[in-house]
Amino acid sequence: QAVSRCRRLVGERLNLRRPQGAVCLLSDLGNLNLQVQADSEETRRRVLRQTRLLADCDYPVIERLAAASHIERAQEGEVISLRGQQSTHFFVVTSGLVELSILTHDGKRHINNWISQGESYGLISALNFGPLIHTATAVKGSSVLKVPSVALRDALLAFPAFAMVVIGLISDH
């Protein structure tokens, strides 16, 4: 069991294991299969379970975070979150493609990453209620699950095993 967990963690680190639909190749940008998802608690639980952060967490953690979260949709080109804003949420892409970027000192946009279904951003900013480090923009019609920072911190206090997972994830970066 320890060996299979180690293989899974190594695979995640090398991006060998990704949730279905999370493949993000430049050649696929025009062929994204967008899904319209209802904002139900069941959908939110399923989305949270797909994230690296919560994939191995117990049901009560998922249940608590799903109950506090909501899904928002964004049109192509719409800003989902803005660099420098105080973070009030942790974000998980539920459909579409989201661009994470920053503006350089000379005003040029630098794209740091594209993330797709099941991938997340803003964890550290959500934990310390600090400023977001990227601007997130919908590349195509997209939706994101927004987990309130307060709910995330409450779950850390209520579930020590979850806190250890978060510490491990942060220390890997």
Side-chain angles (χ1 to χ4, degrees):
Q1 188 176 19
V3 171
S4 68
R5 179 167 167 71
C6 182
R7 284 185 185 142
R8 184 181 57 76
L9 291 173
V10 169
E12 283 177 351
R13 189 171 271 172
L14 298 174
N15 289 324
L16 298 175
R17 177 183 168 262
R18 297 176 74 148
Q20 183 178 4
V23 176
C24 179
L25 302 174
L26 290 176
S27 61
D28 291 336
L29 290 178
N31 301 319
L32 289 175
N33 181 19
L34 301 180
Q35 301 171 353
V36 176
Q37 298 176 336
D39 188 4
S40 68
E41 203 163 317
E42 178 56 38
T43 300
R44 296 189 303 261
R45 280 193 296 268
R46 185 174 38 78
V47 167
L48 288 168
R49 204 161 281 295
Q50 289 177 351
T51 66
R52 180 177 175 201
L53 175 65
L54 297 161
D56 296 325
C57 286
D58 293 331
Y59 183 78
V61 176
I62 302 288
E63 189 68 24
R64 180 178 286 200
L65 294 175
S69 303
H70 68 280
I71 293 175
E72 286 187 6
R73 287 160 186 66
Q75 304 278 331
E76 181 177 344
E78 185 177 343
V79 172
I80 298 166
S81 58
L82 191 62
R83 175 182 165 91
Q85 279 182 328
Q86 180 182 354
S87 180
T88 56
H89 293 87
F90 166 65
F91 301 87
V92 181
V93 177
T94 61
S95 68
L97 185 66
V98 174
E99 173 191 283
L100 300 178
S101 65
I102 60 171
L103 284 179
T104 62
H105 294 293
D106 57 354
K108 294 180 181 175
R109 188 181 73 193
H110 174 75
I111 299 170
N112 294 79
N113 202 1
W114 285 288
I115 60 174
S116 59
Q117 183 178 347
E119 296 179 298
S120 59
Y121 70 96
L123 175 62
I124 294 173
S125 296
L127 290 174
N128 68 15
F129 296 98
L132 292 164
I133 60 171
H134 299 102
T135 293
T137 307
V139 174
K140 295 276 186 181
S142 302
S143 59
V144 293
L145 177 74
K146 295 175 75 173
V147 180
S149 300
V150 172
L152 193 59
R153 289 180 72 162
D154 288 348
L156 291 171
L157 293 172
F159 304 102
F162 174 55
M164 294 306 295
V165 168
V166 172
I167 290 168
L169 186 64
I170 291 170
S171 67
D172 281 349
H173 292 330

